[in-house]
Amino acid sequence: MISKMDEVIERAVIAHRLDTITQEMSYALERSSRSPIFAEACDFACGICDGNGDLVSQINGIPILAAAGTFSVKEVIRKYRNQIAEGDVFIINDPYRGGNHLPDIGIITPLVVDKEPLFYCVSRAHHGDIGGSVAGSYNSKATEIFQEGLRIPPIKLISQGNLIQEVMDLITQNVRNPQMLQNDLWSQIGANKIGTARLDELIHNYSAAKLKETTKHLLGHAEKLTRQAIANMPDGDYFGEEWVDDDGFQANPIKIKVKVIIRGEEMTLDFQGTDAQVKGFVNSALVTSTTAAWIGALWALGPDIPRNSGAFRVIQVNLPEGSLLNPHDPAPVTLSTLTPASEIISAIFQALSAPAKERLPAGFGRYCGPSFYGVDPRNQEFYVGFAFCALGSGGGIWGRDGYPYMAPLSNFGGVRSPNIEANELQYPHLTLCHEMEIDSAGAGKWRGGPGIRYSLQFYGEPTNIVMFGDGMKIPPFALASGKPGSLNYVELLTPDEEKIPLASKESPRTLTKGAVLTMVSSGGGGWGDPWQREPESVWQDVLNGVISRTKARTDYGVVIDEGGVDWAGTKKLRAIS
């Protein structure tokens, strides 16, 4: 007879094993992939769902991708119920059928035992091109999803171990780098195969019944912890607003409004009052919006809650149909995993900043940069690249300054900055600078992380760029009397020395050889009164080039001379306020 303590230990061992399986899947995906967006930026997530499609384990990859896996699996189950066999593999990317946006392709592999799907391994990853009218598939001027790329509903790619070549051909013939996409799909399939093999080992070590009972317990435990965390917050209605700069067609900011309703152990996130869907590609379909809402709520509730479907059960999300956050098919949605997903989270942060007290940070920078594409003159091959080295920074939080290179919120540092030298080998450009931008961090008792200045000189001819992003009008918000972060800024310098400021959303632009593109990303917002920041910390920021002496004086009330802090001058200046 197994004791209560042994049962607790056994469940903990199984839970840890599920997590390590998802980690092993991610390592396999990273190391076997071909494209830089997989192998270096690691723009992917892996997870495990149970036989009902409920997420039971995910790695700390890209949050906006990982939590969405449950939607994709449930779409597969809905379509193929009683038709799922051992050796099947499914593929999906349609945002209106369980996907995020078209470049994020999900591969789903069931583990079938005695004709019953017990688990589903999921890998969801961002591919460099999924077709559409613009290379890289970020079409800032798309007005419908059909202009953004190939839509893949939940469909079998492999049936009982046999590749359905017609499906693979249909997909690869509609993208610009077919061999790279196919290789990366095989990496996802391989990662899932490792996952199902490890799960099969786990079943043989314990039994299918034990695994089913344990995963049910894990979901129930997460639900219990979530309910407890909500109950610890005061009942009430809490309001937050955030804004998207524009949609690339009209210049007016677009409102995201949330009312967070807390009653006992229940939480509802109601987005009534959010603006209607727009013409451009900043709309966000139901999966992405719901996932972002869960991320924001669970962040406020604390880090000890497992990020699985048990926790999601307690958090109800209301997304009005026809709004920016639940548009009607076929509205374009490609930017949604960056903007407005991050702004959904930001709105929740601002709503819950009081009841969550010191758990929430100030605003993060928003992504704003180009995709670039053309024919590499060194090998005459077509390429598509992205400016992952232009990431913005995180906001300050109680007790700690914001981290640089953490933005946007929907990724929370999951996307890695590629190696500069590797980037120069892969694409026909040179990196002229890659450094922190002085005076970009939002001031606070705990300041935001500084933004980044990143300059590229292109020598391919011609090179084409497409601008996509946000945050040129709306800065990262501050909390607790801090100051907002800086805005994004992008400038093109032509070979004849003409400087051209670029908008955050632009149609393809052709560059001549020698053109220089400079991106200055946002610094995060500040948390707390900047005049309460320790003068020595301000001095260190001046020494490190994070802030100037002028900023130290005006924003922090700290007087800096050649030797360091002028204590008498600082005391006098701070006494004035």
Side-chain angles (χ1 to χ4, degrees), residues 366-382:
R366 307 181 186 189
Y367 177 80
C368 187
S371 58
F372 43 86
Y373 62 91
V375 176
D376 192 327
R378 298 169 298 181
N379 54 25
Q380 300 305 310
E381 292 185 1
F382 183 81

Side-chain angles (χ1 to χ4, degrees), residues 214-378:
T214 300
T215 53
K216 181 179 178 181
H217 171 81
L218 293 176
L219 296 175
H221 182 61
E223 179 179 350
K224 180 181 178 181
L225 291 177
T226 308
R227 290 186 180 279
Q228 289 173 348
I230 294 171
N232 288 335
M233 285 188 169
D235 282 2
D237 296 346
Y238 303 94
F239 297 88
E241 284 187 358
E242 189 56 281
W243 300 80
V244 176
D245 281 357
D246 54 63
D247 72 339
F249 289 93
Q250 50 85 24
N252 296 327
I254 307 159
K255 180 172 66 176
I256 296 172
K257 183 176 182 178
V258 65
K259 177 169 74 171
V260 183
I261 304 165
I262 297 177
R263 300 288 188 272
E265 297 180 345
E266 301 286 343
M267 175 184 284
T268 300
L269 308 175
D270 188 351
F271 288 89
Q272 290 285 346
T274 294
D275 283 348
Q277 69 183 73
V278 293
K279 186 176 182 179
F281 71 157
V282 300
N283 298 293
S284 178
L286 187 69
V287 172
T288 299
S289 298
T290 303
T291 303
W294 286 340
I295 292 170
L298 286 169
W299 200 328
L301 293 173
D304 296 330
I305 300 171
R307 270 48 175 172
N308 65 34
S309 290
F312 304 157
R313 293 172 187 162
V314 190
I315 303 167
Q316 305 304 312
V317 182
N318 177 31
L319 299 162
E321 289 188 18
S323 72
L324 181 78
L325 307 184
N326 188 8
H328 297 297
D329 186 354
V333 297
T334 297
L335 195 59
S336 62
T337 58
L338 302 172
T339 293
S342 297
E343 286 62 61
I344 293 170
I345 301 170
S346 291
I348 294 169
F349 280 9
Q350 292 177 73
L352 293 178
S353 60
K357 298 180 181 177
E358 295 150 356
R359 281 199 295 270
L360 293 176
F364 280 45
R366 307 181 186 189
Y367 177 80
C368 187
S371 58
F372 43 86
Y373 62 91
V375 176
D376 192 327
R378 298 169 298 181

Side-chain angles (χ1 to χ4, degrees), residues 374-436:
V375 176
D376 192 327
R378 298 169 298 181
N379 54 25
Q380 300 305 310
E381 292 185 1
F382 183 81
Y383 69 90
V384 178
F386 298 88
F388 286 116
C389 293
L391 300 179
S393 295
I397 191 171
W398 188 91
R400 191 188 72 227
D401 293 337
Y403 290 131
Y405 250 55
M406 291 296 289
L409 257 176
S410 59
N411 290 352
F412 192 55
V415 171
R416 298 179 190 171
S417 171
N419 178 278
I420 292 294
E421 287 77 14
N423 250 359
E424 292 178 341
L425 287 173
Q426 290 153 356
Y427 307 118
H429 67 231
L430 297 173
T431 302
L432 303 185
C433 76
H434 188 223
E435 59 197 26
M436 290 189 298

Side-chain angles (χ1 to χ4, degrees), residues 24-254:
E24 187 176 359
M25 289 168 61
S26 72
Y27 295 148
L29 181 52
E30 176 186 351
R31 295 175 185 180
S32 63
S33 57
R34 176 180 170 188
S35 65
I37 200 169
F38 279 30
E40 293 189 36
C42 295
D43 194 349
F44 59 76
C46 298
I48 298 171
C49 292
D50 67 10
N52 298 315
D54 288 323
L55 184 69
V56 295
S57 178
Q58 59 170 306
I59 63 162
N60 295 321
I62 308 300
I64 201 67
L65 302 186
T70 181
F71 290 95
S72 296
V73 174
K74 289 186 176 184
E75 282 292 329
V76 167
I77 294 172
R78 187 176 294 116
K79 180 177 179 181
Y80 287 95
R81 188 179 300 276
N82 302 323
Q83 302 176 55
I84 299 172
E86 182 179 354
D88 286 350
V89 176
F90 301 87
I91 186 168
I92 183 174
N93 80 340
D94 190 342
Y96 295 100
R97 296 286 302 276
N100 283 102
H101 66 168
L102 297 182
D104 291 336
I105 297 180
I107 296 293
I108 298 165
T109 306
L111 174 63
V112 180
V113 177
D114 294 330
K115 298 184 179 181
E116 179 188 2
L118 291 184
F119 292 101
Y120 294 86
C121 288
V122 185
S123 60
R124 190 192 295 272
H126 187 115
H127 290 256
D129 183 78
I130 192 63
S133 55
V134 171
S137 304
Y138 279 96
N139 182 356
S140 349
K141 296 307 176 183
T143 57
E144 55 184 5
I145 195 171
F146 307 113
Q147 299 163 349
E148 298 187 295
L150 178 67
R151 296 176 73 171
I152 308 171
I155 191 170
K156 282 187 183 181
L157 180 61
I158 297 175
S159 179
Q160 299 183 46
N162 298 308
L163 175 69
I164 305 174
Q165 191 64 53
E166 291 86 352
V167 174
M168 182 67 83
D169 290 345
L170 179 64
I171 294 169
T172 56
Q173 288 302 306
N174 280 280
V175 302
R176 294 172 177 83
N177 275 331
Q179 192 60 52
M180 182 175 289
L181 182 134
Q182 181 168 289
N183 288 349
D184 285 344
L185 288 178
W186 282 118
S187 294
Q188 289 183 254
I189 292 166
N192 285 9
K193 187 174 183 180
I194 288 173
T196 55
R198 298 294 181 264
L199 286 169
D200 194 47
E201 293 171 4
L202 199 59
I203 290 170
H204 280 88
N205 288 338
Y206 290 95
S207 80
K210 170 57 69 175
L211 266 290
K212 289 171 71 174
E213 184 274 331
T214 300
T215 53
K216 181 179 178 181
H217 171 81
L218 293 176
L219 296 175
H221 182 61
E223 179 179 350
K224 180 181 178 181
L225 291 177
T226 308
R227 290 186 180 279
Q228 289 173 348
I230 294 171
N232 288 335
M233 285 188 169
D235 282 2
D237 296 346
Y238 303 94
F239 297 88
E241 284 187 358
E242 189 56 281
W243 300 80
V244 176
D245 281 357
D246 54 63
D247 72 339
F249 289 93
Q250 50 85 24
N252 296 327
I254 307 159

Side-chain angles (χ1 to χ4, degrees), residues 375-567:
V375 176
D376 192 327
R378 298 169 298 181
N379 54 25
Q380 300 305 310
E381 292 185 1
F382 183 81
Y383 69 90
V384 178
F386 298 88
F388 286 116
C389 293
L391 300 179
S393 295
I397 191 171
W398 188 91
R400 191 188 72 227
D401 293 337
Y403 290 131
Y405 250 55
M406 291 296 289
L409 257 176
S410 59
N411 290 352
F412 192 55
V415 171
R416 298 179 190 171
S417 171
N419 178 278
I420 292 294
E421 287 77 14
N423 250 359
E424 292 178 341
L425 287 173
Q426 290 153 356
Y427 307 118
H429 67 231
L430 297 173
T431 302
L432 303 185
C433 76
H434 188 223
E435 59 197 26
M436 290 189 298
E437 178 72 358
I438 194 168
D439 290 341
S440 58
K445 183 176 181 179
W446 294 285
R447 60 163 174 77
I452 302 297
R453 177 176 289 267
Y454 178 47
S455 290
L456 297 175
Q457 184 174 46
F458 296 95
Y459 59 82
E461 194 168 21
T463 296
N464 303 281
I465 64 169
V466 178
M467 283 296 300
F468 63 94
D470 206 70
M472 287 187 169
K473 301 174 184 176
I474 311 295
F477 66 88
L479 285 178
S481 302
K483 292 195 173 186
S486 59
L487 295 170
N488 287 313
Y489 178 76
V490 180
E491 180 181 87
L492 176 65
L493 178 65
T494 67
D496 57 3
E497 302 297 317
E498 180 185 6
K499 293 183 178 180
I500 305 172
L502 301 184
S504 60
K505 304 164 186 74
E506 287 199 3
S507 300
R509 179 189 289 264
T510 300
L511 309 184
T512 55
K513 183 177 180 180
V516 175
L517 190 68
T518 298
M519 294 146 276
V520 181
S521 64
S522 293
W527 200 104
D529 183 356
W531 286 49
Q532 293 182 11
R533 186 171 177 82
E534 292 294 332
E536 293 93 339
S537 297
V538 177
W539 166 232
Q540 286 300 315
D541 284 343
V542 171
L543 282 177
N544 292 330
V546 176
I547 63 173
S548 63
R549 291 188 190 181
T550 300
K551 204 75 167 174
R553 185 183 187 95
T554 58
D555 281 5
Y556 294 93
V558 176
V559 181
I560 304 292
D561 59 25
E562 295 296 334
V565 177
D566 178 347
W567 290 98

